[in-house]
Amino acid sequence: MYAEERQQAIADQVHQHGRASVAALAEEFDVTSETVRRDLAFLERAGFLRRVHGGAVPVDAVRVTELGVAERATARPDEKIRIGMAACRFVPSEGGSLVIDAGTTTIQAAACLPRDRTITVFTNSLPVASTVADHPSAHLHFLGGRIRGLTQAAVGAAPIAALSNYRVDVAFIGTNGITERHGLSTPDPDEGAMKSAMINAANRVVVLADSSKLGKEDMTGFADLSRVDVLITDGGIDAGFSARLSARGVEVVIA
């Protein structure tokens, strides 16, 4: 196989599977790892992929900018509403407790909380708090701290310390990216620390993410997939990825 043919095959494989490792490519094409790295470097310069540690991902898999709440709210609104509605089945029973992360999809889940059920709700999100505030049977606790204007979420030591005093039944967690290698990820380290604290405080972790987040990685990883009990997403999830998540013990719910 000529170098050009091998490079085209590598690019096709990365885009088809969402990731390819140097070791696997070297074995498949019967070349050295150094040859594969040169191929990946050429393909990255040509704009076909992005190199990451140990391999490569599609160019749009690693994002360097973060959108605000208003911009994200207009993306895939129907899917987010359905995901929020599907989250209702995971709301704790009467007298239970729930922590709701910041995010446009978690806002939809907050709007769908059963109104005939007494629950205690913790959140660091101003929009989520506003949504839950008029719930007739919810005991709302806002985890205050420095507010990030971009996400309208409280971050920093104060909300993490406040949450450390509690143990909750369920966490509804949003994420900017989900991959098998990097787990759950978000652009901002402070947001990542808050999300990680929510996961550590919960007996059950339910991730709410539309399928555009799957196969994407952001700078700050905040949880391995082993920490996830349930992923609620839409029908755009790749069947192979869904099967691999299920094999790792994650319940995949299609909204």
Side-chain angles (χ1 to χ4, degrees), residues 53-77:
H53 179 70
V57 297
V59 289
D60 62 348
V62 179
R63 290 167 289 181
V64 295
T65 59
E66 183 179 8
L67 299 178
V69 173
E71 294 170 289
R72 287 186 287 123
T74 62
R76 304 173 69 87

Side-chain angles (χ1 to χ4, degrees), residues 4-135:
E4 293 82 358
E5 295 175 311
R6 184 179 63 249
Q7 289 162 0
Q8 182 61 59
I10 290 173
D12 290 342
Q13 188 170 130
V14 169
H15 283 272
Q16 180 180 357
H17 298 291
R19 180 179 172 84
S21 73
V22 170
L25 292 171
E27 181 177 356
E28 178 174 349
F29 295 106
D30 194 26
V31 294
T32 65
S33 296
E34 186 57 37
T35 296
V36 171
R37 292 190 182 93
R38 285 197 298 268
D39 287 341
L40 295 181
F42 171 81
L43 291 167
E44 183 176 49
R45 289 194 300 272
F48 290 108
L49 50 75
R50 186 186 298 273
R51 287 185 294 170
V52 295
H53 179 70
V57 297
V59 289
D60 62 348
V62 179
R63 290 167 289 181
V64 295
T65 59
E66 183 179 8
L67 299 178
V69 173
E71 294 170 289
R72 287 186 287 123
T74 62
R76 304 173 69 87
D78 294 339
E79 289 86 347
K80 291 176 180 179
I81 290 171
R82 291 199 301 271
I83 291 169
M85 294 175 65
C88 283
R89 66 177 267 207
F90 299 98
V91 174
S93 57
E94 177 72 18
S97 55
L98 173 68
V99 61
I100 305 180
D101 185 20
T104 52
T105 309
T106 53
I107 292 171
Q108 296 299 329
C112 294
L113 294 179
R115 299 182 71 82
D116 60 348
R117 190 178 308 175
T118 300
I119 53 174
T120 299
V121 178
F122 298 88
T123 188
N124 69 323
S125 164
L126 290 174
V128 168
S130 178
T131 301
V132 177
D134 69 345
H135 189 294

